[in-house]
Amino acid sequence: MTNWNELESKCKSCTACRLCEGRHNVVFGVGDRQARVMFIGEGPGEQEDLQGEPFVGRAGQLLDKMLYAVDLDRKKNVYIANIVKCRPPMNRDPQDDEQDSCIGYLREQTRLIRPKIIVTLGRIAGMKIIKPDLRITREHGEWIERKGTWMMPMLHPAALLRNQSQMEGAFRDFLLLRDKIKEVCPEVYEDIG
Ligand code: URA
Ligand code: SF4
């Protein structure tokens, strides 16, 4: 049983895969460690690597807006982390062996938080966490329940910036998320008053 401090310091000095070589910062995660809702992205980009926080670049600003639209806030009632904690060079996809080296940290984070709802962002995170044969364009917004935890794959905000025609569908997924929160953990909204 590790605790948060042990886990975070272990992660921040990790050299278990080649992604440690080019990093400026390990991007451990941000948010409420008691959050009922957890978001999982793929891996840090340039700004995330420089600032040490997930989703702080352009895609992150869009994510913040969509969170705000359903009364969520990265600092208050959600926790956000990535599959890999160090930036892949040139923002390439994290490779399978890199994901496998890193996933233990995410599993520990999830174990400590015990979220009621997990939302994956983008194809890579959806395939790793929800199902390996996920077809993200067709299956985003579909809930599955696993051992009492509700999971939904969402489109990646960076993909939305490239393809604005998907914006409406993505927004609909956030409304589905709001409905699910009201159903399974209404205290998230009661707490904000
Ligand atoms: N994309 C991700 O998947 N994660 C981040 O933290 C930033 C961009
Ligand atoms: Fe360690 Fe994960 Fe960074 Fe690889 S990506 S060095 S496993 S923290």
Side-chain angles (χ1 to χ4, degrees):
M1 288 284 269
T2 39
N3 63 31
W4 275 108
N5 289 342
E6 278 169 10
L7 184 66
E8 185 165 4
S9 60
K10 199 172 139 214
C11 184
K12 288 195 166 164
S13 58
C14 178
T15 55
C17 84
R18 65 183 82 78
L19 296 183
C20 69
E21 290 163 18
R23 75 182 176 216
H24 294 96
N25 285 289
V26 173
V27 180
F28 182 65
V30 67
D32 178 0
R33 292 175 171 186
Q34 262 130 45
R36 304 291 71 216
V37 184
M38 190 169 172
F39 285 82
I40 300 176
E42 173 178 324
E46 183 181 20
Q47 284 306 313
E48 291 76 21
D49 173 61
L50 291 173
Q51 298 179 42
E53 184 171 326
F55 287 98
V56 290
R58 253 165 49 83
Q61 287 164 18
L62 176 58
L63 177 63
D64 278 335
K65 276 189 201 157
M66 296 185 110
L67 290 172
Y68 183 76
V70 295
D71 298 310
L72 297 173
D73 180 325
R74 69 162 62 215
K75 294 253 151 61
K76 278 203 302 235
N77 41 18
V78 304
Y79 191 85
I80 307 176
N82 285 306
I83 302 273
V84 296
K85 311 304 195 204
C86 306
R87 183 193 182 198
M90 314 295 286
N91 297 346
R92 65 159 169 74
D93 290 349
Q95 292 168 4
D96 285 338
D97 64 324
E98 295 159 353
Q99 294 184 40
D100 291 341
S101 301
C102 209
I103 197 80
Y105 296 114
L106 182 67
R107 293 211 191 289
E108 284 294 297
Q109 288 171 305
T110 311
R111 193 183 58 77
L112 288 163
I113 295 170
R114 290 192 293 114
K116 288 297 290 179
I117 296 176
I118 293 177
V119 174
T120 58
L121 296 167
R123 184 178 142 271
I124 299 269
M127 287 171 56
K128 191 73 181 172
I129 304 296
I130 296 182
K131 58 176 189 175
D133 60 345
L134 179 75
R135 294 149 307 167
I136 185 71
T137 31
R138 204 179 323 165
E139 294 177 295
H140 71 88
E142 292 181 9
W143 289 107
I144 65 152
E145 201 232 86
R146 208 178 279 155
K147 294 188 196 158
T149 306
W150 287 90
M151 302 188 183
M152 184 219 273
M154 282 195 190
L155 296 163
H156 197 287
L160 298 175
L161 291 171
R162 288 192 299 267
N163 185 356
Q164 305 257 339
S165 72
Q166 293 182 312
M167 202 68 85
E168 206 178 310
F171 188 68
R172 219 176 300 127
D173 293 348
F174 272 87
L175 298 179
L176 294 174
L177 171 61
R178 186 177 62 182
D179 291 345
K180 186 60 79 184
I181 291 172
K182 288 180 177 171
E183 180 191 329
V184 303
C185 44
E187 65 274 17
V188 170
Y189 287 136
E190 282 150 19
D191 287 352
I192 60 175

